[in-house]
Amino acid sequence: MIPGKIDVISLGCSKNLVDSEHLLRQLQAAGYRVSHNPKRITAETVVVNTCGFIRDAQEESINTILQLGQAKRRGRIRRLFVMGCLAERFMADLVEELPEVDHFYGKFNWPQLLADMGHAYRADLASERCLTTPSHYAYLKISEGCNRFCAFCAIPLITGRHHSVPIDELLNEVRHLVDKGVKEVNVIAQDLSSYGLDLTGRMMLPELVDRMADIAGVEWIRLHYAYPAQFPYELLPVMASRKNVCNYLDIALQHISDPVLTKMRRHIDREQTQILIDRLRSEVPDIHLRTTLMVGFPGEGEREFEELMKWVKDVRFERMGAFAYSQEEGTYAAKHYRDEVPEDVKQERLQALMDLQEGISQEIQENKVGQTLRVIVDREEPQYYIGRTQWDSPEVDPEVLIEKTRKLVVGDFTDVTVTQALPFELMATPAGRH
C-alpha cells in the first residue's frame, strides 16, 4: 500500500473511461500519484468507476467492489470510493449493502470526491486528461445522456436528458490531446446524431467533425454510436471529402422487423433503415459500417428472427456485434412487456446470428488480401506488430498482424500488404522496400 497514491479502476464503456481520465488529471494536479491498472492495486486509496448498463456489467462492478472490500478488510487498501453509472442508478441500495465503501458518487458529481479529500475541482483543467489508452489514440466524449428513450435502454435513467459539450470546448480538448501525441481521435457519445440540438436547435455533428479535421496533427477521426432516426445526412459529404475522417461509422440498428422496432420504440422502420444504409454506402465510398443487433426482445418470434437473419445476410455489415435482450429495471420494456423469449432460445438465436456474421466477415476480409493498406501500429508482440486500419476501432474490431520483416514504431502509421485473411484478423507484411 503506497501512501499518497490513488488507483482508479474504470469499468464499462469508453465514455466511462473518459470520465476516469479527467478524474486522474484532477487528482494528479492535487499532488497524488495516480495509476490506472486494475490488475495491480498498490495504492492506499482506490476509486471504482462503475457501469450500470446491463446485468452482466452490473455484476462485474459489484464483484470488483466486493473484492476490493476484502482487500480493505485485510489492510491492503485504506479507502474505497465508488462512482459512475451503477452508483447513480442504485445509490440507496449500494449504500445499504456495501458498508465497506467509504463513499459513493454518481455519474456527474464525482468532483465532490475531490472536495471530500480536501481539494477543489480545477475548472482550468477541464479539457485535460491523463490518458489510459496508448498515447497515439484517445476517445473524445461529445455529449452525455439521451432523449430517445428506447424501450429496452436504461441509459436515460442513469444519465438523464441529452446534453452536448460546447464545440469550442471539444476543439480545445482535441488540441490538448494532439499536444500529448494523439493522432487518432475516436468520437463517442450515447447519441452522436443529436449533437448540438440542445445548444443551437440544429444538428452540429457535421460542423464539429469538419472543424476537428482542420486541427493539425489529427490524422484519423472515427465516429461511434450514431442513432439511425433523424440522422444528420450533412455529415456524409464531410466524411467523403475530409481525408482524415475515417470511412467508418458505428450505428446501432438493433433490429429490422417493423413490429419489433415499434415495440423497441426506435422511431424508425425497415424502409427508412434501408434508405439510410444505402445513402451511407453510396455517399461515402468504401465505408465500413459497424452495427449492434439485439435478439430475444419481447415480440420477436421465429418469423421476426428469420427476417433479421435474412436481412443481415443481404446487407452484409462489415462489422457487427449482437447481444441477447435482458430486462432492465425501470425501463419501458420492463414496465409494459413480458420477457417472453426463453433464455435458451435467446442464446440459440444469438449464436446463429454471430455464426452468420463470421462467414460474412471472412468473405469481406478475404477481399482485402493483396491490397496495400495504411495502418496505425498499436503495439509490439513477440511475433508480430499489431496494427489497425481506418476501418478498425480499438478493442472491438479486427486487428492486423504484421510480420517483423523490418523495424516499425508503435504509434506510427505505415503501409502494409495483406497476405492472409481470418474472420476477425488480417495477416500482413510491411509494404515497399525491406
Side-chain angles (χ1 to χ4, degrees), residues 35 56 77 145 168 236 424:
S35 175
D56 287 348
I77 63 176
D168 287 337
L236 301 187
F424 306 111

Side-chain angles (χ1 to χ4, degrees), residues 348-366:
E348 288 173 6
R349 291 177 182 176
L350 179 61
Q351 188 62 53
L353 187 61
M354 293 311 299
D355 287 346
L356 172 62
Q357 179 62 28
E358 181 172 347
I360 294 169
S361 296
Q362 176 71 53
E363 293 172 5
I364 290 172
Q365 293 283 82
E366 285 174 354

Side-chain angles (χ1 to χ4, degrees), residues 314-332:
D314 292 341
V315 173
R316 296 173 60 82
F317 290 104
E318 288 82 7
R319 309 279 184 256
M320 193 201 82
F323 63 102
Y325 169 72
S326 66
Q327 192 174 77
E328 293 299 320
E329 179 182 335
T331 61
Y332 184 92

Side-chain angles (χ1 to χ4, degrees), residues 1-2 5-9 33-46 68 71 76-77:
M1 183 170 63
I2 301 175
K5 185 182 178 187
I6 299 177
D7 284 330
V8 176
I9 299 174
R33 293 174 60 188
V34 296
S35 175
H36 184 270
N37 183 3
K39 296 180 180 179
R40 189 169 184 268
I41 302 298
T42 60
E44 66 174 351
T45 300
V46 179
L68 290 166
R76 291 171 51 201
I77 63 176

Side-chain angles (χ1 to χ4, degrees), residues 187 192-193 205-211 213 221-224 226 231-251 276 279-290 390-391:
V187 181
L192 280 187
S193 302
L205 183 64
E207 177 185 348
L208 171 65
V209 174
D210 200 36
R211 291 179 64 182
I221 299 169
R222 191 179 290 102
L223 304 176
H224 303 77
F231 182 84
Y233 282 106
E234 296 82 5
L235 174 67
L236 301 187
V238 176
M239 295 183 70
S241 63
R242 303 306 299 253
K243 291 184 178 180
N244 55 353
V245 178
C246 297
N247 293 335
Y248 178 102
L249 184 67
D250 191 324
I251 182 165
L276 171 61
R279 283 195 63 177
L280 288 168
R281 286 179 164 166
S282 65
E283 296 187 33
V284 184
D286 213 18
I287 192 171
H288 278 40
L289 297 178
R290 163 169 276 283
Q390 65 164 321
W391 305 305

Side-chain angles (χ1 to χ4, degrees), residues 3 10 17 51 65 68 113 219 298 305 351 373:
S10 192
L17 190 66
C51 179
I65 296 168
L68 290 166
L113 186 156
E219 299 204 41
F305 177 66
Q351 188 62 53
L373 304 176

